[in-house]
Amino acid sequence: MKQQERQQKSREKILSAAMQEFAERGYEEVTVDSICQKYKISKGMMYHYYSNKDQLFLLCVADTFQKVKEYVEQATDGQRANTFEAIQHFFLLRERYFEHHPLEKNVFENAMIHPPKHLARQITQLHQPLQQMNQDFLRQVISHMQLRPGLSPADVASYLECVAPVFPTFVHQRQEQKTANTHYMLCAAEQVLQMILYGVVQEQPETMGSKSGPL
């Protein structure tokens, strides 16, 4: 094996160990020593390739963001024709990816929900390509929608971008006991998306609103 191949294999071994540790224990509980001890990595080799825990964590976060981005890009290619189905499909994609990649899910949530304060700026920068992809996709879909008066495409894109991360939670709450029933899950997803896009309260005639006094 050539030296370059050995070096690449060593880097991959360290990053794989770091991904496992950060996913299972979270950023705060992991140390370089704990990674070296658990996975039998010499400190000399560790510090030859990586300077500290922060660098390892950011590399794991960057790798996770990139994998999610590639998965979503591939899965949404050509999915913009039917607006309703395209948004529903898009909202469920990340959840489907994480179902098969639990380590990445934990690292993603650790970075996005509970980021180390001193790494927040770097994580935001790493997340920008994924966020930009989300925004581009939503804007393209929104361009085929007939929006309510007073709403701009940018307003709607921001709204849908905020809703997207919690959409799977809403869907799971709508499911009853048969959580493994794919058909019911899709029905629940459609119902939730109907509420998100079209609202939940029937608009009343203006005359009714004018009769109301101050609260």
Side-chain angles (χ1 to χ4, degrees):
M1 183 183 297
K2 295 181 180 179
Q3 182 179 3
Q4 186 176 3
E5 293 175 342
R6 288 197 300 270
Q7 291 175 340
Q8 181 62 26
K9 192 171 183 179
S10 296
R11 290 192 185 94
E12 291 174 355
K13 178 181 179 180
I14 294 171
L15 283 178
S16 177
M19 177 71 79
Q20 189 82 28
E21 280 291 275
F22 287 127
E24 292 179 353
R25 302 176 61 193
Y27 172 86
E28 297 296 338
E29 299 298 322
V30 175
T31 65
V32 170
D33 287 347
S34 69
I35 296 174
C36 290
Q37 184 176 2
K38 184 174 180 178
Y39 294 90
K40 296 179 171 55
I41 299 170
S42 71
K43 289 186 181 180
M45 184 173 78
M46 171 68 79
Y47 287 112
H48 178 72
Y49 296 111
Y50 305 105
S51 57
N52 53 44
K53 181 176 81 169
D54 288 352
Q55 183 185 17
L56 285 171
F57 182 71
L58 290 174
L59 285 170
C60 290
V61 171
D63 183 62
T64 297
F65 287 168
Q66 181 61 28
K67 287 177 179 176
V68 173
K69 182 175 181 291
E70 291 174 356
Y71 176 82
V72 173
E73 284 178 332
Q74 182 177 5
T76 55
D77 185 31
Q79 293 290 325
R80 298 174 178 81
N82 186 313
T83 302
F84 189 91
E85 291 182 3
I87 295 177
Q88 177 176 296
H89 180 69
F90 178 77
F91 278 5
L92 291 173
L93 273 177
R94 196 175 73 185
E95 184 75 2
R96 287 172 177 165
Y97 176 80
F98 286 145
E99 283 179 2
H100 301 286
H101 301 85
L103 296 181
E104 285 82 355
K105 178 180 180 179
N106 290 345
V107 169
F108 187 96
E109 291 179 348
N110 196 194
M112 297 302 298
I113 301 175
H114 306 292
K117 291 182 179 180
H118 67 291
L119 298 179
R121 181 178 60 83
Q122 293 97 314
I123 291 172
T124 298
Q125 291 175 342
L126 292 173
H127 186 248
Q128 282 180 349
L130 180 57
Q131 185 177 30
Q132 186 63 52
M133 179 204 66
N134 293 338
Q135 292 171 348
D136 290 344
F137 176 83
L138 290 172
R139 284 169 183 159
Q140 289 188 45
V141 172
I142 291 167
S143 68
H144 299 286
M145 299 170 64
Q146 184 175 354
L147 304 181
R148 292 175 57 183
L151 292 178
S152 70
D155 292 334
V156 178
S158 297
Y159 165 65
L160 292 178
E161 190 177 6
C162 291
V163 171
V166 295
F167 179 79
T169 302
F170 293 156
V171 172
H172 293 320
Q173 288 176 347
R174 295 297 299 167
Q175 289 181 278
E176 299 174 337
Q177 296 178 349
K178 297 181 179 180
T179 55
N181 189 319
T182 302
H183 173 73
Y184 188 85
M185 185 274 290
L186 292 175
C187 291
E190 181 176 349
Q191 186 179 47
V192 171
L193 187 57
Q194 289 274 358
M195 290 189 289
I196 290 172
L197 291 181
Y198 307 123
V200 296
V201 178
Q202 183 174 352
E203 290 191 35
Q204 300 296 317
E206 293 183 7
T207 53
M208 293 184 65
S210 62
K211 293 180 180 179
S212 301
L215 297 177

